[in-house]
Amino acid sequence: MDPHLLRTYVTVARLRSFSAAARELGYTQSAVSQHIAALEQDLGLPLLGRRPVAPTPAGERLLEHAGSLLLRIDAARADLAGYAAAPREELTVAAAPLAAHPAVLDALPSTGVTLRVLPRDEVPGAVATGGADLGLVDGIAAPSDPLALPDVAPLTAAAMPGAAAEPLVVVVPDDHPLARRAGVRLTDLADARWLDAPAVGPPLERLRAAVGTPGGFRPSLRYEGTDVRTLVALAAAGHGLVLLPAGAARTADVAADVAAVPVVAPRLVHRTELLRPGGVSAGPVARVLDALGVASQGP
């Protein structure tokens, strides 16, 4: 399967237009049509309906594979490019909103650094494809388990000191019946109304999987931003409960209008991990890793 044809197909399917895809890709519309026809011939299946332009059932299935396939190709290209290029003195760090760990921030050079805040699921891809030199991701896990990360490239992950077992709390309005509790079991809150904030808090589908309640944790409001104070303010206003690491809840406290109730069961923690390419690191990346006590040689 030719990746150039696949990339054209993904663009047409996303834009629902051959002409718009041609403009975005810098091709003629005729070339885009030829790419789609060649891919359909290669696979022996129609992938796009033409009026309107929309993926067929087979095309929808191909889209499920296409993102990871193209990402792996871009990751391989970025990985091999590192063997030919001299180490850059600039450093780009991609971090999920709750993953900017103080130990890493303290180890950064005083100049030449760009910190990009991204949704946590985009951080591994940014490191794999060369969009960032290092990545910081976070999530919930059992105390002895690493984070479950997408398999986008040979990346090396290391837990950050002091972050591997940060406790979790449920943020509730100060007048909520749970506000004065010493602890809470998440299974007891499966039928409560929750804030769905996938870019900041744990995505609710992951929370359901971790707690083992497929039908629980119904969202009452979806927040698509990355500001923790806004998320806590929504909880304070009674729009739903939210699960956060204890440190984030403390720093985002909104005029004492919320309470942070510790989670006592199941045994879950908030974990932060540092991601780096799997090869040998040099330049400012190696210096940051040395400052953190992390080996600069991949496995």
Side-chain angles (χ1 to χ4, degrees), residues 40-173:
E40 290 178 324
Q41 183 176 9
D42 178 28
L43 296 176
L45 291 165
L47 300 174
L48 285 169
R50 270 38 176 194
R51 294 183 181 177
V53 176
T56 65
E60 291 284 4
R61 188 66 172 177
L62 178 59
L63 287 173
E64 296 177 15
H65 295 282
S68 58
L69 288 171
L70 293 173
L71 182 57
R72 291 288 299 199
I73 291 170
D74 291 341
R77 189 182 301 276
D79 192 15
L80 294 176
Y83 286 89
R88 296 183 300 110
E89 285 306 312
E90 295 79 21
L91 180 69
T92 298
V93 180
L98 297 184
H101 191 264
V104 176
L105 301 184
D106 289 343
L108 295 178
S110 57
T111 60
V113 178
T114 298
L115 179 64
R116 299 172 57 200
V117 178
L118 299 175
R120 64 169 59 83
D121 288 342
E122 295 181 16
V123 173
V127 178
T129 58
D133 303 296
L134 294 171
L136 289 166
V137 291
D138 70 310
I140 58 173
S144 58
D145 291 345
L147 294 180
L149 299 174
D151 182 19
V152 296
L155 300 178
T156 299
M160 289 293 89
E166 186 176 9
L168 293 165
V169 298
V170 177
V171 178
V172 302

Side-chain angles (χ1 to χ4, degrees), residues 178-206:
L178 294 175
R180 302 295 174 263
R181 293 272 295 272
V184 67
R185 297 167 55 93
L186 288 178
T187 50
D188 295 337
L189 301 179
D191 294 329
R193 297 167 63 248
W194 285 80
L195 290 166
D196 186 16
V200 187
L204 293 184
E205 64 271 17
R206 296 184 186 176

Side-chain angles (χ1 to χ4, degrees), residues 10-21 48 52-55 60 63:
V10 169
T11 306
V12 174
R14 172 170 54 85
L15 297 176
R16 296 295 200 267
S17 168
F18 281 73
S19 58
L48 285 169
V53 176
E60 291 284 4
L63 287 173

Side-chain angles (χ1 to χ4, degrees), residues 210-234:
V211 180
T213 53
F217 302 99
R218 296 167 297 173
S220 60
L221 182 149
R222 182 177 175 89
Y223 174 58
E224 296 185 351
T226 60
D227 182 67
V228 182
R229 287 184 59 84
T230 299
L231 180 59
V232 172
L234 289 170

